[in-house]
């Protein structure tokens, strides 16, 4: 039961992370992260601000690769972030 509970806690915590959390966790600024991901810093800022409703597949793939997550998870983070910033 302990192992299951720690998995649930880990899963819940992982689900609550935001795009910003994952970028900040890497210990680099947003401009440096954007450069490493291969996207313009302006585009990253617009995604973070919720101004881009549906980022291009290639952009999401680059972000996901730089973050070490799947593109599906990255798109979900972006979508959730847009909902949170719209409140």
């Amino acid at each position: 039961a302990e192992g299951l509970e720690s998995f649930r806690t880990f899963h819940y915590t992982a689900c609550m992370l935001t795009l910003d959390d994952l970028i900040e966790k890497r210990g680099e600024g947003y401009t440096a992260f954007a450069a490493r991901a291969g996207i313009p810093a302006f585009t990253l800022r617009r995604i973070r601000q919720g101004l881009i409703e549906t980022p291009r597949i290639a952009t999401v793939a680059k972000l996901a690769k730089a973050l070490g997550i799947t593109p599906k998870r990255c798109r979900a983070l972006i979508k959730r972030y847009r909902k949170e910033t719209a409140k």
Side-chain angles (χ1 to χ4, degrees), residues 49-68:
Q49 291 173 341
L51 299 175
I52 297 178
E53 189 170 331
T54 309
R56 294 183 177 158
I57 292 170
T59 302
V60 173
K62 289 176 182 180
L63 285 172
K65 184 175 180 181
L67 290 168

Side-chain angles (χ1 to χ4, degrees), residues 10-26:
F10 170 77
H11 183 70
Y12 176 78
T13 304
C15 289
M16 297 305 294
L17 290 174
T18 65
L19 187 61
D20 282 348
D21 292 335
L22 291 176
I23 294 170
E24 289 171 4
K25 197 174 176 180
R26 300 214 171 281

